[in-house]
Amino acid sequence: MNHTYAVIEEIDNLNNTFMDLESQVRGYVISGNPVFLNGLSAKTEVAKSQLARLQTLTADNTKQQVNIQTLSQLVDAKLGFQEELLTAYKASNRKALD
């Protein structure tokens, strides 16, 4: 039961980290205020670390490993999208808002 709780807690932590990341990127794109980017790289690394911890916690369960692999792909896609959004904003803030 403790192990299951640890997995659920780490999933929750990863979700919270991504909500923070999304909020920061959205705040920057809407306002243009670079203060929203403070700690963005560090939070991205935290998210990657949380995902790695989930992979470790579920190493003994093949089905969970498949699910974590899918989650990993979604995490990579989300991080990629946020990077594209920031790049688009630098080129044209109007383009990023659309």
Side-chain angles (χ1 to χ4, degrees):
M1 187 160 79
N2 288 336
H3 182 267
T4 300
Y5 177 74
V7 171
I8 292 170
E9 183 177 37
E10 202 61 42
I11 291 169
D12 190 43
N13 291 340
L14 180 61
N15 183 52
N16 289 335
T17 299
F18 264 94
M19 287 179 14
D20 287 346
L21 284 167
E22 287 176 347
S23 179
Q24 283 184 264
V25 171
R26 184 176 40 251
Y28 175 69
V29 169
I30 291 171
S31 72
N33 187 342
V35 75
F36 283 103
L37 298 180
N38 291 346
L40 190 69
S41 295
K43 270 194 194 134
T44 298
E45 292 306 313
V46 166
K48 290 177 184 179
S49 173
Q50 290 166 330
L51 184 59
R53 179 157 160 71
L54 278 169
Q55 289 172 328
T56 300
L57 285 170
T58 60
D60 63 337
N61 186 312
T62 306
K63 184 172 179 160
Q64 285 184 344
Q65 282 289 294
V66 170
N67 292 336
I68 296 301
Q69 185 62 30
T70 301
L71 179 61
S72 179
Q73 292 169 353
L74 293 170
V75 164
D76 289 343
K78 184 66 169 183
L79 291 174
F81 172 75
Q82 288 180 338
E83 189 60 38
E84 287 176 26
L85 188 58
L86 292 173
T87 300
Y89 183 84
K90 291 175 185 173
S92 165
N93 62 349
R94 189 87 217 111
K95 181 180 176 184
L97 289 170
D98 291 338

